[in-house]
Amino acid sequence: HIGGLATGLCLGAIFAKLSSVPAETRRQVRWFVFAAFAIAFAGGMIFLQKQHSDVRALGRGLATMDAGDINKALPDLESYAQKNPRSAQAQFILAQAYLEAHHPDEAISAFQNVLKIRQSSEAERGLAEAYKQKGMQAEADDATRRAEQLEQK
């Protein structure tokens, strides 16, 4: 990793310059450098934890879905999708969960979000299934036709 290499080179250069400095000053500088790097490391870890909280939510949601409790998974999947509104994958996962949980209105909205991001036969087929859950057969047929057209391309 480049960051580790650069850090090591910087520390080596600092400590090499300190060889001609009195021992007490070297000790003070070493403690200062150590404290500065410890603070930077801790700050970086906190930053990374906050940046990846949505990925942890996705992991929890998928694990809960795999365990068979789809309704319990929805808050985590909603959080992930909300934090990643331009991700077709995030929206698709949420749409599928809504479909499996028999929440057709939410599934329709989520599948439509996927289709705003990119055309997908899988999303069109999911949309068709959500329409069927609502008893909207004409809309389901239209979505199925669009899915077939996408698959022929």
Side-chain angles (χ1 to χ4, degrees):
H1 299 128
I2 298 293
L5 176 63
T7 302
L9 289 172
C10 289
L11 285 174
I14 290 170
F15 290 139
K17 294 267 185 194
L18 290 176
S19 63
S20 62
V21 176
E24 183 60 30
T25 304
R26 271 197 314 263
R27 192 173 8 266
Q28 290 173 349
V29 170
R30 283 183 181 150
W31 276 109
F32 174 76
V33 169
F34 173 76
F37 277 99
I39 290 169
F41 179 76
M45 292 303 292
I46 291 169
F47 174 78
L48 286 175
Q49 286 178 347
K50 288 184 179 182
Q51 290 296 320
H52 295 291
S53 66
D54 59 328
V55 175
R56 285 193 303 272
L58 173 63
R60 278 191 312 270
L62 291 175
T64 306
M65 268 183 71
D66 285 344
D69 196 348
I70 295 169
N71 285 316
K72 188 177 177 187
L74 287 175
D76 283 325
L77 298 176
E78 288 167 342
S79 174
Y80 179 70
Q82 183 180 24
K83 290 177 183 175
N84 296 281
R86 310 267 315 134
S87 167
Q89 180 185 20
Q91 303 306 315
F92 186 82
I93 290 168
L94 180 60
Q96 283 295 122
Y98 282 139
L99 191 61
E100 289 182 40
H102 299 284
H103 297 295
D105 290 326
E106 291 87 350
I108 289 167
S109 177
F111 280 121
Q112 288 172 339
N113 287 339
V114 173
L115 294 166
K116 287 177 189 173
I117 298 168
R118 70 174 168 85
Q119 294 299 303
S120 158
S121 63
E122 294 88 0
E124 288 287 3
R125 290 199 181 278
L127 184 60
E129 190 60 36
Y131 282 135
K132 286 179 191 175
Q133 283 185 5
K134 280 196 66 142
M136 301 171 70
Q137 192 59 48
E139 291 83 352
D141 292 343
D142 289 342
T144 300
R145 271 192 291 280
R146 289 191 301 270
E148 290 168 353
Q149 289 171 350
L150 287 169
E151 290 166 354
Q152 291 175 359
K153 288 184 181 181

